[in-house]
């Protein structure tokens, strides 16, 4: 018995979403958005950007059929309101499709013991994450720091991605200089390019090195350190002992340090938390890929215990602004030596 067409359409809905999300990412990364926002044609794009006509035509036809572009009778292509709506979520596509798209396809190959980590594209992970952070974790970090009310002069951002925390915080603290630590070559290059174009460029440097190595070899004594969505990377790579060593060394060198940690409260087995719309749209996939990419998420209670055992005191704790993200998955601590 052949499958009924209505059943086939229903069964292929997820596949439609799979290709659609890759094509939203492709549109956003194509460098064509500005021309398409103004209105342009396939002919003009082929001529001005040196694109392959047959491939661009196939893409344009797809985007029109999927509702991302309108095409006039004279062939002028323009972005639709739907494409503008997707553009608001650009960094989520950058991280989850650009950074982890290949990871999701490889999950099945990396389930067996000893299969090693699945691939990911670190540059897109770092820059997408920083784009998301502009919406959620940087406002959270600002709130934590404002409640605390201190001033800072020397910042280290450990795992700085494309570097937005560095420039945002240097903007907030006029006396501050900052160093961004980023082991991924694409991430470090993106951070250098971002910083160079910002008004605080002369106060920020980037070093391409692993956070643990940097802490073990530096003579720097920062008064503010940020680990935003990075301590779970170190936990996955170096284990619990590695995290303890990193925190101990950081505070041994700089006993008056304020350490801001932003990370995820692992609630993947909490049915109520996972039923929330944003958990279904985003966190369910986000939580899934971590163990496959040498990352280890833990609950906030697990982290609280580890911080206490490392001799740290929690001076402030908060979660994201509920008008942007009410799930409570992303949480932030300000830590000092107890
Ligand atoms: C999820 S991104 C977070 C980027 C940025 N901190 C943010 O909050 O948006 C994680 C970053 O940590 C970096 N990373 C991974 N392992 C690291 C390590 N051992 N030391 C420093 N950074 C690391 C990755 O390359 C990536 O840029």
């Amino acid at each position: 018995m052949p499958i009924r067409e209505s059943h086939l359409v229903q069964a292929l809905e997820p596949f439609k979403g799979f290709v659609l999300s890759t094509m939203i990412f492709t549109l956003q990364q194509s460098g064509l958005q500005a021309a398409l926002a103004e209105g342009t044609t396939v002919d003009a794009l082929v001529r001005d950007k040196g694109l392959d006509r047959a491939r661009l035509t196939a893409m344009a036809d797809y985007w029109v059929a999927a509702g991302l572009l309108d095409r006039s009778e004279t062939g002028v292509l323009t972005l639709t309101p739907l494409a503008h709506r997707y553009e608001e979520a650009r960094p989520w596509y950058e991280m989850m499709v650009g950074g982890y798209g290949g990871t999701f396809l490889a999950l099945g190959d990396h389930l067996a013991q000893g299969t090693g980590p699945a691939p990911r594209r670190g540059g897109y992970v770092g820059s997408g994450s920083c784009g998301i952070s502009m919406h959620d974790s940087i406002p959270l970090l600002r709130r934590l720091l404002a409640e605390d009310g201190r001033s800072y002069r020397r910042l280290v951002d450990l795992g700085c991605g494309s570097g937005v925390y560095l420039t945002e915080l240097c903007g907030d603290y006029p006396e501050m200089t900052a160093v961004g630590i980023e082991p991924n070559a694409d991430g470090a290059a993106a951070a250098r390019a971002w910083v160079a174009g910002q008004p605080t460029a002369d106060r920020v440097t980037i070093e391409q090195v692993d956070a643990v190595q940097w802490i073990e070899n530096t003579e720097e004594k920062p008064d503010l350190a940020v680990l935003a969505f990075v301590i779970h990377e170190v936990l996955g790579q170096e284990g619990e002992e590695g995290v303890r060593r990193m925190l101990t060394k950081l505070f041994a060198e700089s006993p008056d340090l304020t350490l801001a940690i932003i990370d995820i409260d692992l609630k993947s087995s909490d049915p109520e938390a996972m039923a929330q719309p944003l958990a279904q749209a985003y966190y369910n996939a986000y939580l899934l890929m971590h163990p496959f990419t040498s990352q280890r998420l833990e609950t906030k209670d697990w982290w609280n215990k580890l911080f206490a055992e490392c001799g740290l005191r929690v001076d402030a704790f908060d979660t994201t602004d509920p008008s942007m993200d009410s799930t409570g998955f992303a949480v932030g601590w300000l830590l000092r030596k107890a």
Side-chain angles (χ1 to χ4, degrees):
M1 242 318 244
I3 185 170
R4 289 174 71 93
E5 183 178 300
S6 60
H7 291 191
L8 185 59
V9 169
Q10 192 184 25
L12 289 179
E13 273 296 315
F15 168 72
K16 178 175 134 189
F18 164 64
V19 179
L20 179 60
S21 66
T22 67
M23 287 303 291
I24 292 168
F25 170 72
T26 301
L27 178 61
Q28 292 171 347
Q29 295 300 316
S30 64
L32 307 180
Q33 289 246 80
L36 289 166
E38 297 266 302
T40 187
T41 60
V42 165
D43 284 347
L45 292 173
V46 167
R47 188 187 60 230
D48 298 344
K49 310 232 179 233
L51 301 179
D52 181 279
R53 177 178 296 279
R55 293 178 185 182
L56 178 62
T57 301
M59 277 197 172
D61 288 349
Y62 175 91
W63 283 325
V64 170
L68 274 73
L69 295 183
D70 279 330
R71 180 161 36 210
S72 74
E73 283 177 4
T74 56
V76 175
L77 298 164
T78 41
L79 295 179
T80 62
L82 183 62
H84 285 289
R85 174 56 57 89
Y86 291 143
E87 175 62 16
E88 285 187 80
R90 173 196 278 250
W92 281 263
Y93 284 96
E94 192 173 353
M95 183 166 91
M96 297 301 280
V97 180
Y100 288 111
T103 313
F104 288 115
L105 282 175
L107 295 185
D109 298 332
H110 293 269
L111 195 52
Q113 289 175 13
T115 41
R120 59 175 169 158
R121 294 185 70 181
Y124 282 134
V125 171
S127 57
S129 175
C130 278
I132 297 171
S133 293
M134 291 294 285
H135 295 265
D136 59 11
S137 97
I138 291 179
L140 166 57
L141 177 58
R142 282 202 165 106
R143 222 169 40 250
L144 290 168
L145 292 170
E147 278 167 28
D148 198 56
R150 297 196 187 184
S151 189
Y152 297 99
R153 299 180 68 90
R154 182 63 177 163
L155 164 70
V156 56
D157 183 0
L158 297 157
C160 67
S162 62
V164 294
Y165 290 71
L166 298 161
T167 49
E168 291 292 309
L169 288 176
C170 280
D172 293 350
Y173 297 92
E175 305 282 292
M176 179 180 272
T177 62
V179 56
I181 304 304
E182 175 52 56
N184 181 272
D186 291 340
R192 289 195 179 106
W194 165 258
V195 166
Q198 298 303 305
T200 53
D202 58 338
R203 291 194 270 139
V204 182
T205 55
I206 305 294
E207 290 184 33
Q208 191 196 330
V209 58
D210 175 282
V212 177
Q213 278 170 19
W214 184 84
I215 291 167
E216 278 168 4
N217 295 305
T218 188
E219 311 234 305
E220 284 254 11
K221 302 213 179 306
D223 53 9
L224 177 62
V226 172
L227 273 167
F229 306 106
V230 173
I231 200 164
H232 69 250
E233 299 254 12
V234 178
L235 181 62
Q237 295 160 15
E238 310 273 339
E240 198 178 319
E241 265 323 296
V243 172
R244 285 175 193 271
R245 271 199 316 278
M246 176 179 79
L247 295 177
T248 306
K249 181 78 172 39
L250 197 54
F251 280 92
E253 291 299 320
S254 312
D256 297 326
L257 181 74
T258 300
L259 173 60
I261 294 186
I262 313 284
D263 221 274
I264 294 293
D265 181 8
L266 179 60
K267 299 194 281 189
S268 48
S269 58
D270 172 347
E272 202 180 320
M274 294 313 296
Q276 294 210 28
L278 188 57
Q280 286 287 307
Y282 173 60
Y283 284 108
N284 200 20
Y286 176 91
L287 303 176
L288 165 66
M289 52 52 183
H290 280 77
F292 290 86
T293 48
S294 306
Q295 305 184 71
R296 181 173 147 200
L297 299 170
E298 286 294 347
T299 64
K300 72 174 185 309
D301 294 341
W302 190 94
W303 286 112
N304 279 326
K305 183 164 171 284
L306 182 125
F307 298 149
E309 286 168 4
C310 290
L312 302 181
R313 180 184 79 216
V314 177
D315 277 2
F317 175 82
D318 213 335
T319 181
T320 42
D321 179 344
S323 68
M324 188 267 140
D325 179 347
S326 64
T327 63
F329 277 88
V331 291
W333 294 263
L334 280 195
L335 299 164
R336 297 202 177 89
K337 220 172 157 75

